[in-house]
Each structure stands twice: as C-alpha cells, then as structure tokens.
Amino acid sequence: MNDTWESLLAEACACEKCELCKTRTNCVFGTGNINADLLFVGEAPGDNEDKTGTPFVGRAGQLLDKYLYAVDIPRDSVYIANILKCRPPKNRDPLPAEEDACMDLLRRQVRLIKPKIIVCLGRISAMRLIKPDFKITKEHGVWFERGNFLITAVYHPALLLRDPRKKEDMMEDMKAIKAKLDELK
Ligand code: URA
C-alpha cells in the first residue's frame, strides 16, 4: 500500500472500524517529527487529548515533557502516538478488539516514520508491541531487537503521578534512551 502521511491521517480521522468513533470528539492521530528516530507509543487518548486532537497534552503529557527536557530530547524532535486513536469512554483500558482494529494504522505510521527506537509508554502499549506477557515492573528499560528498530518500555507517566516512587527508575530509563539515541546517530 502506498501510504502518504496525508492519506493515512485522513483514513484515521474517517475510521469507523470500532465503536469508539461514535464517542470521539477528535481522532488523535499523533504529533511531532514524522522523520523522527524516536517514536513514543502510549495507550489511548484521554479527555484533554480527545478535546484537542493531540496526544499527551494533559497532566501525564506534561510529566512526559519534563522527562524529555531533563534528558535533553526536544519534544518536537520525536513522534508521539498511541495504540488507540480514539478515546475509550471514561478512560477505561482499551478492549482487545479496539486494539486489533487500530493496530494497522500504527503499523503504517511506523513504516512511514522509520524510527530507530520505539518506546512504549506503559504496560498496555508494551503488551501489544513487545510481547503479551510483558511485565512492566520487571522489564521496563530492557531493550528488544526487532528487524529495523530497537524497542523498550518505560512506566506510563500517569502511573508515575499515582506512584512517585517509580520516578527514579523512569529517569534512569530515559537517560538510557537518550544514550542509545546518541549511539545510533
Ligand atoms: N495517556 C496515553 O496513553 N495517551 C495519551 O495521549 C494521553 C494519556
């Protein structure tokens, strides 16, 4: 399939493959540098993201921004997307059928971006993109090789807001991601 960024965006915003299209305000396709070496993939849009059409703009997003700043990775140098492009009602976890319906769009985004590194934000993304039995407490920061890119997972920033004791681990993981990015340049 010969996707262009514009055709893929239009397809996502017209998508009716699952029920979430009925309750979305905006489809949240992704944001940032479409030629990025580093791609972050979260779980699904929340309320602020649904309203604005941009991923990670609420409290969790602001915390993510702080980590990016702390390790000297400009937010506009990376691309940020989610497993789901539409908000699940009341921010419930994505249903497997919703993830199945949405994964094709993400795969095609990855093909266009061609990142060197993918970072899963949280367990839901890691279970979908790394392996179904991924354990975020034990395996955050571990690198996995996938043909054209490396993939790892960090704690979801929303979890860090609820459990600040995990912030030290997050900082170490983010430093390692920056080091790996520099190494691959
Ligand atoms: N949480 C996510 O996983 N994604 C967003 O875009 C916002 C919050």
Side-chain angles (χ1 to χ4, degrees), residues 111-182:
R111 245 176 259 149
L112 285 173
I113 298 170
K114 300 188 187 72
K116 292 181 178 158
I117 295 175
I118 297 182
V119 177
C120 302
L121 292 165
R123 124 195 116 80
I124 302 258
S125 171
M127 286 167 69
R128 187 40 87 148
L129 300 184
I130 301 180
K131 51 179 181 161
D133 62 348
F134 191 89
K135 297 276 177 291
I136 193 79
T137 325
K138 280 197 193 141
E139 294 177 286
H140 67 86
V142 175
W143 293 96
F144 296 82
E145 275 190 40
R146 291 281 188 285
N148 300 329
F149 54 83
L150 291 174
I151 187 163
T152 188
V154 298
Y155 287 119
H156 194 291
L159 176 69
L160 301 174
L161 291 170
R162 294 194 301 274
D163 185 357
R165 287 169 306 175
K166 296 195 161 52
K167 285 185 172 178
E168 251 177 64
D169 282 349
M170 178 67 166
M171 187 54 88
E172 290 311 307
D173 290 346
M174 290 295 294
K175 282 183 192 161
I177 289 162
K178 166 70 172 162
K180 187 66 81 180
L181 191 61
D182 288 346

Coordinates of all heavy atoms in Angstrom, one line a residue, residues 111-182:
R111 N 5.9 2.4 9.5 CA 6.5 2.2 8.2 C 6.9 3.6 7.6 O 8.0 3.7 6.9 CB 5.6 1.5 7.3 CG 6.1 0.1 6.9 CD 5.2 -0.6 6.0 NE 4.5 -1.6 6.8 CZ 3.2 -2.0 6.6 NH1 2.5 -1.5 5.6 NH2 2.7 -2.9 7.4
L112 N 6.1 4.6 7.8 CA 6.4 5.9 7.2 C 7.5 6.6 8.0 O 8.4 7.3 7.4 CB 5.2 6.8 7.1 CG 4.1 6.4 6.1 CD1 2.9 7.3 6.2 CD2 4.7 6.7 4.7
I113 N 7.4 6.6 9.3 CA 8.4 7.3 10.2 C 9.8 6.6 10.1 O 10.8 7.3 10.1 CB 7.9 7.3 11.6 CG1 6.5 8.1 11.7 CG2 8.9 8.0 12.6 CD1 5.8 8.0 13.1
K114 N 9.8 5.3 10.1 CA 11.0 4.5 10.1 C 11.9 4.9 11.4 O 13.1 5.3 11.2 CB 11.9 4.7 8.9 CG 11.2 4.2 7.6 CD 12.1 4.3 6.4 CE 11.5 4.0 5.1 NZ 10.6 5.1 4.6
P115 N 11.4 4.8 12.6 CA 12.2 5.2 13.7 C 13.3 4.2 14.0 O 13.2 3.0 13.6 CB 11.1 5.1 14.9 CG 10.1 4.1 14.4 CD 10.1 4.2 12.9
K116 N 14.3 4.6 14.7 CA 15.4 3.7 15.1 C 15.0 3.0 16.4 O 15.5 2.0 16.8 CB 16.7 4.4 15.2 CG 17.2 4.9 13.9 CD 18.6 5.6 14.0 CE 19.1 6.1 12.7 NZ 20.0 7.1 12.8
I117 N 14.2 3.8 17.2 CA 13.9 3.3 18.6 C 12.4 3.6 18.8 O 11.9 4.7 18.5 CB 14.6 4.1 19.6 CG1 16.1 3.8 19.5 CG2 14.1 3.8 21.0 CD1 17.0 4.7 20.5
I118 N 11.7 2.6 19.3 CA 10.3 2.8 19.7 C 10.3 2.6 21.3 O 10.8 1.6 21.8 CB 9.3 1.8 19.1 CG1 9.3 2.0 17.6 CG2 7.9 1.9 19.6 CD1 8.4 1.1 16.8
V119 N 9.6 3.5 21.9 CA 9.5 3.4 23.4 C 8.0 3.3 23.7 O 7.2 4.2 23.4 CB 10.1 4.7 24.1 CG1 9.8 4.6 25.6 CG2 11.6 4.8 23.8
C120 N 7.6 2.2 24.3 CA 6.3 2.0 24.8 C 6.1 2.8 26.1 O 6.9 2.6 27.0 CB 6.0 0.5 25.0 SG 6.3 -0.5 23.6
L121 N 5.0 3.6 26.1 CA 4.7 4.3 27.4 C 3.7 3.4 28.1 O 2.5 3.5 27.8 CB 4.2 5.7 27.1 CG 5.2 6.6 26.5 CD1 4.6 7.9 25.9 CD2 6.2 7.1 27.6
G122 N 4.1 2.6 29.1 CA 3.2 1.8 29.9 C 3.0 0.4 29.4 O 3.4 0.0 28.3
R123 N 2.3 -0.3 30.3 CA 2.2 -1.8 30.1 C 1.3 -2.1 28.9 O 1.5 -3.1 28.2 CB 1.7 -2.3 31.5 CG 0.5 -3.1 31.6 CD 0.0 -3.2 33.0 NE -1.3 -2.6 33.1 CZ -2.4 -3.1 32.7 NH1 -2.4 -4.3 32.2 NH2 -3.5 -2.5 32.8
I124 N 0.2 -1.4 28.7 CA -0.7 -1.7 27.6 C 0.0 -1.7 26.3 O -0.1 -2.6 25.5 CB -1.9 -0.8 27.7 CG1 -2.6 -0.8 29.0 CG2 -2.9 -1.0 26.5 CD1 -3.9 -1.6 29.1
S125 N 0.8 -0.6 26.1 CA 1.5 -0.5 24.8 C 2.6 -1.6 24.7 O 2.7 -2.2 23.7 CB 2.1 0.9 24.8 OG 3.0 1.0 23.7
A126 N 3.3 -1.9 25.8 CA 4.3 -2.9 25.8 C 3.8 -4.3 25.5 O 4.4 -5.1 24.8 CB 5.1 -2.9 27.1
M127 N 2.6 -4.6 26.1 CA 2.0 -5.9 25.9 C 1.6 -6.0 24.5 O 1.5 -7.1 23.9 CB 0.8 -6.1 26.9 CG 1.2 -6.3 28.3 SD -0.1 -6.2 29.5 CE -1.1 -7.6 29.0
R128 N 1.2 -5.0 23.8 CA 0.8 -5.0 22.4 C 2.0 -5.0 21.5 O 2.1 -5.8 20.5 CB -0.1 -3.8 22.1 CG -0.8 -3.8 20.8 CD -1.3 -5.1 20.3 NE -2.7 -5.5 20.7 CZ -3.5 -6.2 19.9 NH1 -3.2 -6.6 18.7 NH2 -4.7 -6.6 20.4
L129 N 3.0 -4.2 21.8 CA 4.1 -4.0 20.8 C 5.3 -4.9 21.1 O 6.1 -5.2 20.2 CB 4.5 -2.6 20.8 CG 3.5 -1.5 20.4 CD1 4.1 -0.1 20.2 CD2 2.8 -1.9 19.0
I130 N 5.5 -5.3 22.4 CA 6.7 -6.1 22.7 C 6.3 -7.6 22.8 O 6.7 -8.4 22.0 CB 7.5 -5.6 23.9 CG1 7.9 -4.1 23.7 CG2 8.7 -6.5 24.2 CD1 8.7 -3.5 24.8
K131 N 5.5 -7.9 23.8 CA 5.0 -9.3 24.0 C 3.8 -9.3 24.9 O 3.8 -8.5 25.9 CB 6.2 -10.2 24.5 CG 6.9 -9.7 25.7 CD 7.9 -10.7 26.2 CE 8.6 -10.1 27.4 NZ 9.4 -11.1 28.2
P132 N 2.9 -10.2 24.7 CA 1.7 -10.2 25.5 C 1.9 -10.4 27.0 O 1.1 -9.9 27.8 CB 0.9 -11.4 24.9 CG 1.5 -11.7 23.6 CD 2.9 -11.2 23.7
D133 N 3.0 -11.0 27.4 CA 3.2 -11.3 28.8 C 4.2 -10.3 29.4 O 4.8 -10.6 30.4 CB 3.6 -12.7 29.1 CG 4.9 -13.0 28.5 OD1 5.4 -12.2 27.6 OD2 5.5 -14.1 28.8
F134 N 4.4 -9.1 28.8 CA 5.3 -8.1 29.3 C 5.0 -7.7 30.7 O 3.8 -7.4 31.0 CB 5.3 -6.9 28.3 CG 6.4 -6.0 28.6 CD1 7.7 -6.1 27.9 CD2 6.3 -4.9 29.5 CE1 8.7 -5.3 28.2 CE2 7.4 -4.1 29.8 CZ 8.6 -4.2 29.1
K135 N 6.0 -7.7 31.5 CA 5.8 -7.3 32.9 C 6.6 -5.9 33.2 O 7.8 -5.9 33.2 CB 6.4 -8.3 33.9 CG 5.7 -9.6 33.8 CD 4.4 -9.6 34.7 CE 3.6 -10.9 34.6 NZ 3.0 -11.2 33.3
I136 N 5.8 -4.8 33.2 CA 6.5 -3.5 33.2 C 7.4 -3.3 34.5 O 8.4 -2.7 34.3 CB 5.4 -2.4 33.1 CG1 6.0 -1.0 32.8 CG2 4.5 -2.3 34.4 CD1 6.4 -0.8 31.4
T137 N 7.0 -3.9 35.6 CA 7.8 -3.7 36.8 C 9.2 -4.3 36.6 O 10.2 -3.8 37.1 CB 7.1 -4.3 38.1 OG1 5.7 -4.1 37.9 CG2 7.6 -3.6 39.3
K138 N 9.2 -5.5 36.0 CA 10.5 -6.2 35.9 C 11.2 -5.8 34.6 O 12.4 -5.9 34.5 CB 10.2 -7.7 35.7 CG 10.0 -8.4 37.0 CD 10.1 -9.9 36.8 CE 9.6 -10.7 38.0 NZ 8.8 -11.9 37.7
E139 N 10.5 -5.5 33.5 CA 11.1 -5.4 32.2 C 11.2 -4.0 31.6 O 11.6 -3.8 30.5 CB 10.4 -6.3 31.2 CG 10.5 -7.8 31.6 CD 9.8 -8.7 30.7 OE1 8.5 -8.8 30.8 OE2 10.4 -9.4 29.9
H140 N 10.8 -2.9 32.4 CA 11.0 -1.6 31.9 C 12.5 -1.3 31.7 O 13.3 -1.9 32.4 CB 10.4 -0.5 32.9 CG 11.2 -0.5 34.2 ND1 12.3 0.3 34.4 CD2 11.0 -1.1 35.4 CE1 12.8 0.1 35.6 NE2 12.0 -0.7 36.2
G141 N 12.8 -0.6 30.6 CA 14.2 -0.3 30.4 C 15.0 -1.4 29.7 O 16.1 -1.2 29.3
V142 N 14.4 -2.6 29.5 CA 15.0 -3.7 28.8 C 14.9 -3.5 27.3 O 13.8 -3.1 26.8 CB 14.4 -5.1 29.2 CG1 15.1 -6.2 28.3 CG2 14.6 -5.3 30.7
W143 N 15.9 -3.7 26.5 CA 15.9 -3.5 25.1 C 15.6 -4.8 24.3 O 16.1 -5.8 24.7 CB 17.3 -2.9 24.5 CG 17.5 -1.6 25.0 CD1 18.3 -1.2 26.1 CD2 17.0 -0.3 24.5 NE1 18.3 0.1 26.3 CE2 17.5 0.7 25.3 CE3 16.2 0.0 23.4 CZ2 17.2 2.0 25.1 CZ3 15.9 1.3 23.2 CH2 16.4 2.3 24.0
F144 N 14.7 -4.7 23.3 CA 14.4 -5.8 22.5 C 14.7 -5.4 21.0 O 14.4 -4.3 20.7 CB 12.9 -6.2 22.6 CG 12.5 -6.6 24.0 CD1 12.2 -5.7 25.0 CD2 12.4 -7.9 24.3 CE1 11.8 -6.1 26.3 CE2 12.0 -8.4 25.6 CZ 11.7 -7.4 26.6
E145 N 15.3 -6.4 20.3 CA 15.6 -6.1 18.9 C 14.5 -6.5 18.0 O 13.9 -7.6 18.1 CB 16.9 -6.8 18.5 CG 18.1 -6.0 18.8 CD 19.3 -6.6 18.2 OE1 19.3 -7.0 17.0 OE2 20.3 -6.7 18.9
R146 N 14.1 -5.7 17.1 CA 13.1 -6.0 16.1 C 13.6 -5.6 14.7 O 13.7 -4.4 14.5 CB 11.8 -5.2 16.3 CG 11.0 -5.6 17.5 CD 10.2 -6.9 17.3 NE 9.3 -7.1 18.4 CZ 9.6 -7.6 19.6 NH1 10.9 -7.9 19.8 NH2 8.8 -7.8 20.5
G147 N 13.9 -6.5 13.8 CA 14.5 -6.1 12.5 C 15.0 -4.7 12.3 O 16.2 -4.5 12.5
N148 N 14.1 -3.8 12.1 CA 14.6 -2.4 11.7 C 14.7 -1.4 12.9 O 15.2 -0.3 12.7 CB 13.6 -1.8 10.7 CG 13.5 -2.6 9.5 OD1 14.5 -3.3 9.1 ND2 12.4 -2.6 8.9
F149 N 14.3 -1.8 14.1 CA 14.4 -0.9 15.2 C 14.6 -1.6 16.5 O 14.4 -2.9 16.6 CB 13.1 0.0 15.3 CG 11.8 -0.8 15.3 CD1 11.3 -1.3 16.5 CD2 11.1 -1.0 14.1 CE1 10.1 -2.0 16.5 CE2 9.9 -1.7 14.1 CZ 9.4 -2.2 15.3
L150 N 15.0 -0.8 17.5 CA 15.0 -1.3 18.9 C 13.8 -0.9 19.6 O 13.2 0.2 19.3 CB 16.2 -0.8 19.6 CG 17.6 -1.2 19.2 CD1 18.7 -0.4 19.9 CD2 17.8 -2.7 19.4
I151 N 13.3 -1.7 20.6 CA 12.1 -1.3 21.3 C 12.3 -1.6 22.8 O 12.9 -2.5 23.2 CB 10.8 -2.0 20.7 CG1 9.5 -1.5 21.3 CG2 10.9 -3.5 20.8 CD1 8.3 -1.9 20.5
T152 N 11.8 -0.6 23.6 CA 11.8 -0.8 25.0 C 10.5 -0.2 25.6 O 9.7 0.4 24.9 CB 13.1 -0.1 25.6 OG1 13.2 -0.4 27.0 CG2 13.0 1.4 25.4
A153 N 10.4 -0.3 26.9 CA 9.2 0.3 27.5 C 9.6 1.0 28.8 O 10.6 0.6 29.5 CB 8.2 -0.8 27.9
V154 N 8.9 2.0 29.1 CA 9.0 2.8 30.4 C 7.7 2.8 31.1 O 6.6 2.5 30.5 CB 9.6 4.2 30.2 CG1 11.0 4.1 29.5 CG2 8.6 5.0 29.3
Y155 N 7.7 3.2 32.4 CA 6.4 3.4 33.1 C 5.6 4.4 32.4 O 6.1 5.4 31.9 CB 6.7 3.8 34.5 CG 7.2 2.7 35.4 CD1 8.5 2.9 36.0 CD2 6.5 1.6 35.6 CE1 8.9 1.9 36.8 CE2 6.9 0.6 36.5 CZ 8.2 0.7 37.1 OH 8.7 -0.3 37.9
H156 N 4.3 4.3 32.4 CA 3.4 5.3 31.9 C 3.4 6.5 32.8 O 3.3 6.3 34.0 CB 1.9 4.7 31.8 CG 1.1 5.6 30.9 ND1 0.7 6.8 31.3 CD2 0.5 5.4 29.7 CE1 -0.1 7.4 30.3 NE2 -0.2 6.5 29.4
P157 N 3.6 7.7 32.2 CA 3.6 8.9 33.1 C 2.4 9.0 34.1 O 2.6 9.6 35.2 CB 3.7 10.1 32.1 CG 3.9 9.5 30.8 CD 3.7 8.0 30.8
A158 N 1.2 8.5 33.6 CA 0.1 8.6 34.5 C 0.3 7.7 35.8 O -0.2 8.1 36.9 CB -1.2 8.2 33.8
L159 N 1.0 6.6 35.6 CA 1.3 5.8 36.8 C 2.3 6.5 37.7 O 2.2 6.4 38.9 CB 2.0 4.5 36.3 CG 2.4 3.5 37.4 CD1 1.2 3.0 38.2 CD2 3.2 2.4 36.9
L160 N 3.2 7.2 37.1 CA 4.2 8.0 38.0 C 3.5 9.1 38.8 O 4.0 9.4 39.9 CB 5.3 8.6 37.1 CG 6.1 7.7 36.2 CD1 7.0 8.4 35.3 CD2 6.9 6.7 37.1
L161 N 2.4 9.6 38.3 CA 1.7 10.6 39.0 C 1.0 10.0 40.2 O 0.9 10.6 41.3 CB 0.6 11.3 38.1 CG 1.1 12.2 37.0 CD1 -0.1 12.5 36.1 CD2 1.7 13.4 37.6
R162 N 0.6 8.7 40.1 CA 0.0 8.0 41.2 C 1.0 7.4 42.1 O 0.8 7.2 43.3 CB -0.9 6.8 40.7 CG -2.1 7.3 39.9 CD -3.1 6.2 39.7 NE -2.6 5.0 39.0 CZ -2.6 4.9 37.6 NH1 -3.0 5.9 36.9 NH2 -2.1 3.8 37.1
D163 N 2.2 7.0 41.6 CA 3.2 6.3 42.4 C 4.6 7.0 42.2 O 5.4 6.4 41.4 CB 3.2 4.8 42.0 CG 4.2 4.0 42.8 OD1 4.9 4.6 43.7 OD2 4.2 2.8 42.7
P164 N 4.8 8.1 42.8 CA 6.1 8.9 42.5 C 7.4 8.1 42.9 O 8.4 8.4 42.4 CB 6.0 10.1 43.4 CG 4.5 10.1 43.8 CD 4.0 8.8 43.8
R165 N 7.2 7.0 43.6 CA 8.5 6.2 44.0 C 9.1 5.6 42.7 O 10.3 5.3 42.7 CB 8.1 5.1 44.9 CG 7.8 5.5 46.4 CD 7.2 4.4 47.1 NE 6.1 3.8 46.4 CZ 5.4 2.8 46.8 NH1 5.7 2.1 47.9 NH2 4.3 2.4 46.1
K166 N 8.3 5.5 41.7 CA 8.9 4.9 40.4 C 9.6 6.0 39.6 O 10.2 5.6 38.5 CB 7.7 4.3 39.6 CG 7.1 3.1 40.3 CD 6.2 2.3 39.4 CE 5.9 0.9 39.9 NZ 5.4 0.8 41.3
K167 N 9.6 7.2 40.0 CA 10.2 8.3 39.2 C 11.7 8.1 39.0 O 12.2 8.5 37.9 CB 9.9 9.6 39.8 CG 8.5 10.1 39.6 CD 8.2 11.5 40.1 CE 6.9 12.0 39.7 NZ 6.6 13.3 40.2
E168 N 12.4 7.5 40.0 CA 13.9 7.3 39.8 C 14.2 6.4 38.7 O 15.0 6.6 37.8 CB 14.4 6.7 41.1 CG 15.3 7.7 41.9 CD 15.8 7.1 43.2 OE1 16.5 6.1 43.1 OE2 15.4 7.6 44.2
D169 N 13.4 5.3 38.7 CA 13.6 4.3 37.6 C 13.3 4.9 36.2 O 14.0 4.7 35.2 CB 12.6 3.1 37.8 CG 13.0 2.1 38.8 OD1 14.2 2.2 39.2 OD2 12.2 1.3 39.2
M170 N 12.3 5.8 36.2 CA 11.9 6.4 35.0 C 13.0 7.3 34.5 O 13.4 7.3 33.3 CB 10.6 7.3 35.2 CG 10.2 8.0 34.0 SD 9.6 6.9 32.6 CE 8.8 8.1 31.6
M171 N 13.7 8.0 35.4 CA 14.8 8.9 35.0 C 15.9 8.1 34.4 O 16.5 8.4 33.4 CB 15.2 9.8 36.2 CG 16.2 10.8 35.8 SD 15.7 11.9 34.4 CE 14.9 13.1 35.4
E172 N 16.2 7.0 35.1 CA 17.3 6.1 34.6 C 17.0 5.6 33.2 O 17.8 5.6 32.3 CB 17.5 4.9 35.5 CG 18.2 5.3 36.9 CD 19.4 6.2 36.7 OE1 20.3 5.8 35.9 OE2 19.4 7.3 37.3
D173 N 15.7 5.1 33.0 CA 15.3 4.6 31.7 C 15.4 5.7 30.6 O 15.9 5.4 29.5 CB 13.9 4.1 31.7 CG 13.8 2.8 32.6 OD1 14.8 2.2 32.9 OD2 12.7 2.4 32.9
M174 N 15.0 6.9 31.0 CA 15.0 8.0 30.0 C 16.5 8.4 29.6 O 16.8 8.6 28.4 CB 14.2 9.2 30.5 CG 12.7 9.0 30.6 SD 11.9 8.7 29.0 CE 12.2 10.3 28.2
K175 N 17.4 8.3 30.6 CA 18.8 8.6 30.3 C 19.3 7.5 29.4 O 20.1 7.9 28.5 CB 19.6 8.6 31.6 CG 19.4 9.9 32.4 CD 20.3 9.8 33.7 CE 20.1 10.8 34.7 NZ 20.6 10.5 36.0
A176 N 19.0 6.3 29.6 CA 19.5 5.2 28.8 C 18.9 5.3 27.3 O 19.6 5.0 26.4 CB 19.1 3.8 29.4
I177 N 17.7 5.8 27.2 CA 17.1 6.0 25.9 C 17.9 7.1 25.1 O 18.2 7.0 24.0 CB 15.6 6.3 26.0 CG1 14.8 5.1 26.5 CG2 15.0 6.9 24.7 CD1 13.5 5.3 27.0
K178 N 18.2 8.2 25.9 CA 18.9 9.3 25.2 C 20.3 8.8 24.8 O 20.8 9.1 23.7 CB 19.0 10.4 26.2 CG 20.1 11.5 25.9 CD 19.7 12.3 24.7 CE 20.7 13.5 24.5 NZ 20.6 14.1 23.2
A179 N 21.0 8.0 25.7 CA 22.3 7.4 25.3 C 22.2 6.5 24.1 O 23.1 6.6 23.2 CB 22.9 6.7 26.5
K180 N 21.2 5.7 24.0 CA 21.0 4.8 22.9 C 20.8 5.6 21.6 O 21.3 5.3 20.6 CB 19.9 3.8 23.2 CG 19.7 2.7 22.2 CD 20.8 1.7 22.2 CE 20.7 0.7 23.3 NZ 21.8 -0.3 23.2
L181 N 20.0 6.6 21.7 CA 19.7 7.5 20.6 C 21.0 8.1 20.1 O 21.2 8.1 18.8 CB 18.7 8.6 21.1 CG 18.0 9.5 20.0 CD1 17.1 8.6 19.1 CD2 17.1 10.5 20.8
D182 N 21.8 8.6 20.9 CA 23.1 9.3 20.5 C 24.0 8.2 19.9 O 24.7 8.5 18.9 CB 23.8 9.9 21.7 CG 23.0 11.2 22.2 OD1 22.2 11.7 21.4 OD2 23.3 11.7 23.3

